[in-house]
C-alpha cells in the first residue's frame, strides 16, 4: 500500500471514532466531560476509562495498520505521550517593564484546555537572564505573577514546564566564570551573548543543578525544557580545559559527560513525576545510552522535511 493511501485510510478510521495510540481522553466513558476534564491524567484512559467499544475501535485501528503496513523500522507502544502541547510566551523580554498575568491569560488557558492542550511549555522570557528586574536566569521576571500562572494551569488540569539551559549562560552575568566554558564559542544572537558551558565543568554543575531543583521546588512546575547549548568536551585521555574533569569517553557516537549531566536532571524530574524535553539543535539528539528525556525537539533551521525525517528516524523515542 502506498503511504498516501494508507494515511488516508487511517484518517478515515480515526474520523469515524477510533484512534491508533492509547491514552485517548474522548472515550465513551469520558465523553460527557471531555470539554472540562484535562487530557493529562496519571493513568492513561486506555487503562482507566475505556469501555468495550473504545477497546474495539483501538484494536480495529491496530488491525488496519498491521494489514496495511508491509514493513516498518521499529514498533512502539505509546501510552504516555501528550499530543496536545503548546509553546506559551508570558510576555516580551527584554522589556521596559515586567510582564504580568491578567484575565486575558485566564481566557487563553480556557481555550487551550478546551482544544485538548495538556502541556504548556514556557519559553525563556519567563526568567530574567539579563537581570533587568532584580532576578536572574533561573528566577521569574515577575515571581508573584509566575506563581499565579502556574496555579492557573494546574487548576485547568494541564501541566507546565519551564525553559532552562544545561549549557547557555550569558558571559555578562556577574555569576559567570570563564573556566566553565574555556575555549568554547559564544552564541551572539539578538540580545544573547551566551557562553556554552561544559558538562564536564565542576563549577558549572555546582551552579546549575541546585537551580534546576529550586525551580521545581519553589515554583511547582511539572518539568523542564532543556535547551542544551552543547559543545562536546575532550575525551577522557585528553588535557582538560578550565575546571573540567574528563571522566568519560567522548566519541562521535557517545556524549559521556553530557549523558551524566542530563541523566542527573532527568532522574530528579522523573522522581517527581515530571517531564523533560531536550533540544540539542538542528537534526541532532544527545548520543546517550541512558534515558535522559521524554521528548526530543529537532528541526530547528531545517528546511527539508524529508531530510529531517530521514535524519531523525533512528533517534530514540
Amino acid at each position: 500500500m502506498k503511504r498516501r493511501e494508507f494515511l488516508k485510510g487511517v484518517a478515515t478510521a480515526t474520523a469515524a471514532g477510533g484512534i491508533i495510540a492509547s491514552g485517548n481522553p474522548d472515550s465513551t466513558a469520558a465523553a460527557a466531560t471531555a470539554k472540562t476534564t484535562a487530557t493529562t491524567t496519571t493513568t492513561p484512559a486506555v487503562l482507566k476509562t475505556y469501555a468495550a467499544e473504545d477497546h474495539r475501535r483501538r484494536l480495529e485501528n491496530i488491525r488496519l495498520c498491521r494489514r496495511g503496513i508491509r514493513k516498518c523500522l521499529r514498533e512502539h507502544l505509546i501510552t504516555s505521550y501528550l499530543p496536545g502541547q503548546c509553546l506559551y510566551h508570558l510576555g516580551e523580554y527584554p522589556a521596559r517593564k515586567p510582564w504580568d498575568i491578567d484575565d486575558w491569560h485566564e481566557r487563553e488557558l480556557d481555550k487551550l484546555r478546551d482544544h485538548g492542550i495538556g502541556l504548556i511549555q514556557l519559553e525563556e522570557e519567563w526568567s530574567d537572564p539579563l537581570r533587568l528586574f532584580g532576578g536572574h536566569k533561573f528566577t521569574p521576571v515577575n515571581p508573584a505573577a509566575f506563581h499565579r500562572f502556574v496555579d492557573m494551569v494546574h487548576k485547568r488540569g494541564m501541566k507546565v514546564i519551564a525553559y532552562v539551559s544545561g549549557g547557555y549562560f550569558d558571559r555578562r552575568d556577574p555569576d559567570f566564570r570563564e573556566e566553565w566554558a574555556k575555549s568554547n564559542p559564544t552564541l551572539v544572537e539578538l540580545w544573547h551573548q551566551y557562553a556554552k558551558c561544559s558538562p564536564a565543568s565542576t563549577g558549572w554543575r555546582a551552579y546549575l543543578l541546585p537551580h534546576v531543583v529550586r525551580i521545581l521546588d519553589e515554583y511547582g512546575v511539572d518539568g523542564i525544557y532543556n535547551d542544551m547549548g552543547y559543545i562536546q568536551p575532550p575525551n577522557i585521555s585528553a588535557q582538560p580545559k578550565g575546571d573540567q574533569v574528563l571522566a568519560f569517553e567522548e566519541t562521535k557516537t557517545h556524549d559521556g559527560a553530557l549523558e551524566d549531566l542530563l541523566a542527573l536532571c532527568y532522574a530528579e524530574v522523573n522522581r517527581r513525576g515530571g517531564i523533560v524535553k531536550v533540544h540539542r539543535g538542528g537534526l541532532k539528539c544527545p548520543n546517550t545510552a541512558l534515558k535522559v528525556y521524554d521528548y526530543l525537539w529537532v528541526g530547528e533551521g531545517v528546511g527539508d522535511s524529508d531530510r529531517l525525517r530521514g535524519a531523525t528516524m533512528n533517534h530514540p523515542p
Side-chain angles (χ1 to χ4, degrees):
M1 179 185 289
K2 292 183 179 180
R3 183 171 59 182
R4 290 177 183 270
E5 295 174 355
F6 168 71
L7 292 175
K8 286 180 180 179
V10 172
T12 302
T14 304
I19 188 164
I20 296 172
S22 62
N24 174 30
D26 293 326
S27 64
T28 302
T33 58
K35 287 191 175 182
T36 57
T37 302
T39 59
T40 54
T41 55
T42 303
T43 304
V46 67
L47 298 176
K48 191 174 183 180
T49 61
Y50 266 31
E53 185 57 32
D54 298 306
H55 285 290
R56 176 181 293 280
R57 287 199 300 266
R58 177 177 177 272
L59 293 174
E60 286 178 347
N61 279 336
I62 293 174
R63 179 174 181 268
L64 170 66
C65 293
R66 290 193 176 279
R67 296 184 68 182
I69 299 174
R70 290 193 296 269
K71 62 179 181 178
C72 65
L73 188 64
R74 65 179 58 87
E75 183 176 318
H76 301 289
L77 174 64
I78 302 172
T79 59
S80 58
Y81 176 76
L82 297 176
Q85 303 187 16
C86 175
L87 267 69
Y88 199 103
H89 294 267
L90 291 173
E92 294 296 325
Y93 189 92
R96 295 182 182 275
K97 62 179 182 178
W99 46 257
D100 202 356
I101 300 299
D102 55 23
D103 290 345
W104 182 90
H105 293 275
E106 297 270 9
R107 294 190 295 272
E108 287 301 302
L109 289 177
D110 284 342
K111 292 177 185 177
L112 293 173
R113 176 203 59 202
D114 292 346
H115 279 85
I117 297 299
L119 178 66
I120 302 295
Q121 176 180 326
L122 298 178
E123 287 299 296
E124 189 175 15
E125 75 282 343
W126 80 271
S127 64
D128 191 13
L130 294 180
R131 297 179 180 259
L132 298 178
F133 306 107
H136 54 75
K137 187 177 179 67
F138 301 99
T139 58
V141 166
N142 185 336
F146 189 72
H147 278 291
R148 177 186 174 187
F149 183 82
V150 172
D151 288 343
M152 286 161 53
V153 173
H154 288 160
K155 286 177 181 177
R156 288 162 174 80
M158 298 185 288
K159 296 181 182 293
V160 55
I161 63 175
Y163 175 102
V164 300
S165 178
Y168 288 130
F169 197 72
D170 201 294
R171 287 186 173 273
R172 299 163 294 182
D173 193 280
D175 288 348
F176 176 71
R177 298 294 179 265
E178 182 61 35
E179 61 265 25
W180 298 351
K182 196 74 172 178
S183 303
N184 285 353
T186 300
L187 174 67
V188 179
E189 183 179 85
L190 300 174
W191 50 269
H192 305 115
Q193 292 186 29
Y194 279 171
K196 295 183 178 182
C197 299
S198 173
S201 164
T202 56
W204 172 240
R205 285 177 173 232
Y207 185 81
L208 169 70
L209 292 174
H211 279 304
V212 172
V213 173
R214 186 185 52 77
I215 288 170
L216 298 170
D217 283 340
E218 187 169 338
Y219 306 117
V221 296
D222 301 293
I224 58 174
Y225 163 53
N226 187 348
D227 186 17
M228 288 166 42
Y230 174 61
I231 297 291
Q232 189 178 52
N235 196 24
I236 189 170
S237 59
Q239 189 68 25
K241 301 175 182 178
D243 65 348
Q244 293 177 336
V245 173
L246 303 180
F248 304 95
E249 294 288 341
E250 304 288 349
T251 68
K252 290 183 179 179
T253 58
H254 185 236
D255 296 309
L258 178 67
E259 178 179 52
D260 181 66
L261 180 61
L262 292 180
L264 290 172
C265 293
Y266 183 77
E268 180 59 22
V269 176
N270 186 256
R271 182 180 69 83
R272 301 159 181 261
I275 295 167
V276 175
K277 286 189 182 184
V278 164
H279 172 59
R280 179 170 178 172
L283 302 169
K284 299 178 180 178
C285 72
N287 293 313
T288 66
L290 300 176
K291 182 174 177 59
V292 295
Y293 59 78
D294 298 300
Y295 299 91
L296 174 69
W297 270 41
V298 295
E300 181 182 31
V302 177
D304 187 334
S305 59
D306 280 338
R307 176 170 169 260
L308 172 65
R309 179 175 57 83
T312 61
M313 64 183 182
N314 289 313
H315 290 353

